[in-house]
């Protein structure tokens, strides 16, 4: 077994597990209920952890969980506002990104 992810946010850990399971990678969540012991135990020991059942899946799991996804290059709206790749609509004027942008 190999730990691949940990967080105080239990929903984030379960989301990561779901992403891996949808890709066919088996993983389990550990320390799910340990947050209630925080204060008696060091906080770093109370994080929920995601463990791979097969350590050979580590490279694929890290690729799925930590890849940087973009939807294309940054673009500039007709109004002159520079916008990041993740935006499909200008926050300043409300115009949508053209298909060629």
């Amino acid at each position: 077994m190999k730990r691949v992810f940990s967080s105080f946010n239990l929903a984030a850990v379960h989301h990561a597990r779901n992403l891996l399971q949808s890709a066919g990678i088996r993983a389990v969540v550990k320390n799910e209920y340990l947050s209630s012991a925080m204060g008696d135990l060091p906080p770093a020991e109370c994080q929920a952890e995601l463990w791979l059942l097969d350590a050979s899946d580590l490279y694929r799991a890290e690729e799925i969980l930590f890849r940087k996804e973009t939807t294309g290059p940054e673009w500039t709206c007709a109004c002159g506002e520079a916008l990041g790749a993740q935006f499909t609509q200008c926050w300043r004027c409300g115009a949508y990104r053209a298909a060629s942008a």
Side-chain angles (χ1 to χ4, degrees):
M1 287 184 46
K2 180 79 175 165
R3 186 180 71 172
V4 69
F5 182 71
S6 64
S7 176
F8 289 112
N9 184 340
L10 188 57
V13 176
H14 279 279
H15 177 66
R17 185 201 61 192
N18 292 341
L19 288 173
L20 295 181
Q21 286 183 336
S22 70
I25 299 173
R26 295 182 333 142
V28 294
V29 176
K30 291 186 170 188
N31 300 343
E32 190 169 1
Y33 303 109
L34 202 54
S35 64
S36 61
M38 205 176 321
D40 293 328
L41 296 173
E45 300 296 321
C46 297
Q47 290 187 358
E49 299 175 341
L50 183 62
W51 287 76
L52 300 175
L53 295 179
D54 185 353
S56 66
D57 287 328
L58 180 62
Y59 179 76
R60 266 186 53 214
E62 287 179 340
E63 188 176 70
I64 291 167
L65 296 177
F66 305 116
R67 67 181 168 216
K68 182 181 177 185
E69 291 190 36
T70 60
T71 57
E74 293 184 359
W75 60 286
T76 302
C77 181
C79 72
E81 187 64 33
L83 298 149
Q86 70 273 24
F87 299 109
T88 58
Q89 186 176 17
C90 179
W91 65 270
R92 181 190 281 176
C93 72
Y96 287 95
R97 175 174 57 195
S100 62

